[in-house]
Amino acid sequence: MAVRRILRMGHPLLRQVSRRLEPGDLSDPALRGLLDDMVDTLHDYGGIGLAAPQIGESIRLAIIEIPGGPTRYGDLAPMPLTVFVNPQVNVIDAATAGYWEGCLSVPGLRGFVERPQHVRVQYQDLQGAEHAIELQGFPATVLQHEFDHLDGRLFVDRMDDMSLLVFEKEYERYHS
Ligand code: NI
């Protein structure tokens, strides 16, 4: 287990489309080691989500862990640490909700992004079993943000108004 360095915007790997994980990948013990590194890295950096490409692995794997309780996004229902293999997002309600997003690969910045607010996510777990969940509001945004990484997209690509790309200190002072 180890904390890995997180690639930052500008690294070409963050712009690649990652490959799907096949059954043979899931049974490879190396994948468990990579996942342990991802969890250690997420906790060390203090994030709520991490996609494998952010630590240099171009595969369709992401983890999410949303702490519950009152936050700047409102009173959140927690999502325990969840592993998403080959996730796919289907929009249920295209009406958007906007949130200030940050990203461990875009350190120091926040940007206001509007995304579909109600989605269904199909994914596999580490054993390859299929799952589907429906999400609304902030968790729907978190998952869409993370899974964008698997297609080489960053939150800044989703912004409509670049005047709402700001540094964290200015975010706290003028926008929170
Ligand atoms: Ni991100």
Side-chain angles (χ1 to χ4, degrees):
M1 304 210 302
V3 173
R4 303 265 292 256
R5 189 170 62 89
I6 292 184
L7 307 185
R8 305 201 306 174
M9 182 167 64
H11 194 295
L13 196 144
L14 289 174
R15 293 314 201 164
Q16 290 177 12
V17 176
S18 296
R19 73 171 179 86
R20 282 180 63 83
L21 286 168
E22 304 302 337
D25 298 312
L26 298 182
S27 57
D28 185 342
L31 190 70
R32 176 63 67 167
L34 169 64
L35 191 66
D36 286 345
D37 285 357
M38 285 176 68
V39 173
D40 287 350
T41 304
L42 180 69
H43 289 160
D44 188 69
Y45 278 78
I48 56 176
L50 186 70
Q54 292 181 276
I55 59 166
E57 305 288 344
S58 198
I59 53 176
R60 302 188 83 78
L61 172 69
I63 57 174
I64 311 258
E65 183 178 42
I66 303 175
T71 72
R72 64 191 179 86
Y73 299 108
D75 219 355
L76 294 182
M79 175 181 282
L81 183 68
T82 307
V83 178
F84 295 89
V85 172
N86 299 326
Q88 222 187 330
V89 175
N90 292 296
V91 174
I92 291 175
D93 181 355
T96 58
Y99 295 96
W100 287 89
E101 297 188 20
C103 181
L104 297 175
S105 292
V106 190
L109 290 170
R110 296 211 179 279
F112 189 78
V113 184
E114 293 193 59
R115 299 180 188 266
Q117 55 143 5
H118 188 179
V119 297
R120 183 169 191 270
V121 173
Q122 290 173 272
Y123 65 99
Q124 292 165 269
D125 61 27
L126 276 180
Q127 285 72 42
E130 298 279 349
H131 299 270
I133 49 173
E134 256 189 53
L135 295 160
Q136 299 190 55
F138 181 67
T141 271
V142 172
L143 268 66
Q144 290 174 81
H145 172 122
E146 289 312 322
F147 303 158
D148 263 358
H149 282 295
L150 309 181
D151 289 321
R153 285 199 203 92
L154 299 173
F155 77 82
V156 290
D157 306 346
R158 299 288 192 188
M159 292 184 63
D160 294 325
D161 180 353
M162 294 307 285
S163 75
L164 299 179
L165 181 64
V166 303
F167 289 104
E168 277 168 358
K169 194 171 163 191
E170 282 70 17
Y171 165 79
E172 299 293 344
R173 181 156 182 190
Y174 299 110
H175 300 283
S176 68

